[in-house]
Amino acid sequence: EGTFDWLDAFLAKHPDYVELSDRKILEWATSSGVMKGPKVAGSQASNDKPLFNFGLPALDDFSVQRVLQSVTSVIPRNYVVME
């Protein structure tokens, strides 16, 4: 996943930037103690489009991503948006 290798190197050099991506949302959720459901047969996941199967509608239907897009427009920070 070359793009995310680049991102990891960029963030190591620029710690003042915040990553906004499905990969980071997945990491935030699991580090907060949200448990993923079982893998879905036949589904393919990647860093770019990870599988969201938490059993929580706000995570599984990508509502969290829409909220982040709204909030980040009013919070002044340096963002790297991986889409």
Side-chain angles (χ1 to χ4, degrees):
E1 311 262 352
T3 304
F4 283 93
D5 291 336
W6 173 87
L7 176 62
D8 292 337
F10 177 85
L11 292 173
K13 292 178 185 176
H14 304 280
D16 55 318
Y17 278 77
V18 176
E19 175 186 349
L20 296 177
S21 66
D22 289 344
R23 171 181 88 153
K24 186 53 99 173
I25 293 169
L26 186 64
E27 180 184 315
W28 288 334
T30 54
S31 68
S32 297
V34 179
M35 302 296 292
K36 287 192 76 165
K39 290 192 175 195
V40 178
S43 64
Q44 292 187 356
S46 66
N47 278 337
D48 190 37
K49 289 295 173 196
L51 183 62
F52 283 77
N53 63 327
F54 291 97
L56 300 170
L59 284 171
D60 295 344
D61 70 4
F62 303 106
S63 295
V64 169
Q65 286 88 329
R66 290 189 295 276
V67 170
L68 278 174
Q69 287 174 350
S70 297
V71 170
T72 56
S73 66
V74 296
I75 298 175
R77 289 192 180 169
N78 296 318
Y79 297 106
V80 178
V81 179
M82 299 301 288
E83 190 51 80

